[in-house]
Amino acid sequence: MTPETIVKQSLGTTGGYTTFSADNFNAYVMNTYGRFPIALERGEGCRVWDTEGKEYLDFVAGIATCTLGHAHPVMMATVSQQIQRLHHVSNLYYIPVQGELAQWLTEHSCADKAFFCNSGAEANEGAIKLARKYAHEKLDIENPIILTAHASFHGRTLATITATGQPKYHKGFSPLMPGFYYVPYNDIAAIESAIAELDKDKRQVAAIMLEALQGEGGVRPGNVAYFQRIREICDEKGILLILDEVQVGMGRSGKLWGYENLGIEPDIFTSAKGLGGGIPIGAMLCKSHCDVFEPGSHASTFGGNPFVCSVALAVCQTLEQENLLTNVQQRGEQLRVGLNAIATKYPDLFSEVRGWGLINGMELKADVELTSIDLVKAAMNEGLLIVPAGPKVLRFVPPLIVTAAEVTEAVDALARAIATLVK
């Protein structure tokens, strides 16, 4: 789509279409995304169509968000019913379906309590605030430190962007929030050294905040021994362990929660993205011993309203009733086999295929001139949507309902795309 291309835009309840050019779009919308030159207007299952009628197999799913794909019957029915009944009230009143969702999440995890908000960044912000309040009230730490990892990604608020261990996201936003210290991921010696070094400086670590699998940092799974030793350290020293499950949770890893792949339980963990299947909702969940919030400590106007909670509950129940975790495990293994076959065919191009369930990465070798963006564009031309995870990693995060035939189709489309770039 060029700036001259006219994009059809639905008029909603009035019916018909109006026209809106890319130039007009860019004139009114802030330039915060490097957008690809297509405009999507409808979807069904694991497929989407652009305004020119071209069909794509969607292995982006709103970046690991559309758990049940597009236009899922359960979501459509729930949205329709709830919007006609009650869509929003204040958290000053009891919201029964919010309680039902909290019950489902806690009964299906290690958590005891839930706080609802609107996004992953807000869920992580809530976890940071909870950890700091716990440090002040329970540990008597005046200036608590939270350890986070290099190459992590935790959100775009000022606190969560500071927690994010990637300097490119910090540029232009100083002064950053105090109270964070970065360590290499999957390196237990670095964790132990950091805690000892900070103790010497009388800067006490109150929490360790990590992703069970680093998504934006290149689809890098956590090492089991690493996380189990961290859990031991946290227990020994009274440090809270926070896991960011915003991208990897809600079944995407092949288990309901990413931490289940690591054989540990966090004190606090966060969820968003797939929780609402594309309807904006976030959750910060914790065990009872670190629940130090009280009225006035934290809040969210829109968080946990009847509309979003009814949809999220429907997504949770559908995951369970349709046994989608089994599909995630099987299709994930099938996808990795297919991607590894491509990597074997092009040994000078790719260095590794890695991931859990239906969050997988395919890494280009460092000395290869091609970038992940080059391959994303080539795949788009072949009718496959994938997304980068850094300059050298392709990320594959389809809806959890993806079929065996669709995985085969995606692998074939990627193979065609690579063939167009490698002569």
Side-chain angles (χ1 to χ4, degrees):
M1 185 178 72
T2 66
E4 292 76 32
T5 301
I6 299 299
V7 179
K8 290 190 298 184
Q9 195 75 14
S10 171
L11 287 176
T13 56
T14 63
Y17 289 90
T18 186
T19 56
F20 207 80
S21 71
D23 269 347
N24 283 346
F25 184 97
N26 292 329
Y28 294 107
V29 179
M30 293 181 76
N31 185 29
T32 58
Y33 281 86
R35 292 179 170 86
F36 294 105
I38 62 173
L40 302 175
E41 69 170 356
R42 68 183 180 93
E44 183 176 349
C46 294
R47 299 179 189 276
V48 291
W49 287 261
D50 68 18
T51 53
E52 297 177 352
K54 182 174 178 179
E55 178 182 320
Y56 301 87
L57 186 56
D58 184 8
F59 269 49
V60 177
I63 309 186
T65 296
C66 299
T67 304
L68 304 181
H70 303 278
H72 192 281
V74 169
M75 289 189 67
M76 289 194 294
T78 304
V79 165
S80 178
Q81 292 165 10
Q82 191 62 49
I83 200 69
Q84 295 178 67
R85 186 177 181 183
L86 183 69
H87 71 285
H88 178 77
V89 293
S90 170
N91 278 294
L92 291 171
Y93 315 113
Y94 285 97
I95 301 172
V97 71
Q98 183 184 127
E100 290 181 69
L101 177 59
Q103 181 179 7
W104 194 96
L105 290 171
T106 55
E107 288 182 350
H108 290 79
S109 75
C110 65
D112 299 309
K113 295 289 183 70
F115 171 86
F116 295 106
C117 50
N118 308 292
S119 68
E122 289 178 64
N124 286 334
E125 184 89 16
I128 292 167
K129 287 181 67 176
L130 185 65
R132 285 189 171 189
K133 196 168 194 296
Y134 180 88
H136 287 294
E137 295 187 0
K138 300 294 184 180
L139 304 178
D140 196 27
I141 300 176
E142 185 176 351
N143 295 300
I145 301 295
I146 298 177
L147 297 185
T148 67
H150 293 302
S152 59
F153 184 84
H154 297 293
R156 299 282 189 167
T157 67
L158 193 54
T160 56
I161 207 170
T162 306
T164 293
Q166 299 194 57
K168 67 180 182 180
Y169 291 114
H170 300 164
K171 188 177 179 180
F173 297 110
S174 59
L176 298 176
M177 291 283 291
F180 294 94
Y181 190 96
Y182 310 112
V183 293
Y185 190 65
N186 278 338
D187 184 340
I188 195 62
I191 289 273
E192 293 173 331
S193 175
I195 292 172
E197 180 182 332
L198 289 165
D199 279 347
K200 284 181 183 177
D201 292 340
K202 300 191 184 306
R203 299 168 65 201
Q204 195 169 342
V205 175
I208 299 173
M209 183 177 187
L210 299 166
E211 295 159 274
L213 172 151
Q214 287 191 327
E216 302 293 327
V219 191
R220 301 184 187 281
N223 178 276
V224 173
Y226 169 76
F227 273 90
Q228 290 184 347
R229 178 57 186 143
I230 288 175
R231 180 68 271 178
E232 290 174 356
I233 292 170
C234 288
D235 291 340
E236 291 166 5
K237 297 183 174 293
I239 294 170
L240 294 179
L241 177 57
I242 305 170
L243 291 190
D244 177 345
E245 296 252 357
V246 167
Q247 187 162 169
V248 80
M250 283 304 294
R252 182 152 295 279
S253 73
K255 297 184 182 294
L256 188 57
W257 307 112
Y259 68 76
E260 295 178 89
N261 296 278
L262 303 171
I264 53 114
E265 292 183 356
D267 300 291
I268 303 168
F269 70 96
T270 56
S271 179
K273 286 190 179 289
L275 177 58
I279 302 299
I281 183 172
M284 186 267 291
L285 299 107
C286 71
K287 293 191 173 185
S288 292
H289 71 88
C290 53
D291 177 19
V292 293
F293 279 168
E294 57 193 356
S297 296
H298 197 47
S300 172
T301 295
F302 293 106
N305 74 31
F307 181 79
V308 296
C309 284
S310 65
V311 178
L313 182 60
V315 171
C316 292
Q317 292 171 339
T318 303
L319 268 177
E320 187 174 23
Q321 293 164 3
E322 297 189 4
N323 196 26
L324 288 181
L325 292 182
T326 297
N327 189 62
V328 173
Q329 294 160 11
Q330 294 173 348
R331 300 289 71 77
E333 178 61 25
Q334 178 191 357
L335 178 58
R336 286 186 292 278
V337 168
L339 296 180
N340 273 306
I342 292 174
T344 300
K345 183 178 179 180
Y346 298 98
D348 296 331
L349 193 61
F350 296 102
S351 61
E352 187 180 14
V353 172
R354 55 180 178 260
W356 291 337
L358 286 174
I359 178 166
N360 291 282
M362 191 177 193
E363 186 166 22
L364 289 159
K365 289 189 172 180
D367 59 353
V368 171
E369 289 186 6
L370 287 174
T371 68
S372 55
I373 293 290
D374 294 328
L375 286 172
V376 166
K377 290 178 178 177
M380 190 178 297
N381 290 335
E382 298 297 328
L384 173 65
L385 299 183
I386 53 179
V387 65
K392 290 292 183 179
V393 180
L394 300 175
R395 183 172 17 170
F396 303 81
V397 282
L400 306 192
I401 61 169
V402 69
T403 66
E406 287 167 334
V407 170
T408 298
E409 183 182 344
V411 172
D412 290 346
L414 180 65
R416 293 195 305 271
I418 294 169
T420 66
L421 297 174
V422 181
K423 305 297 184 183

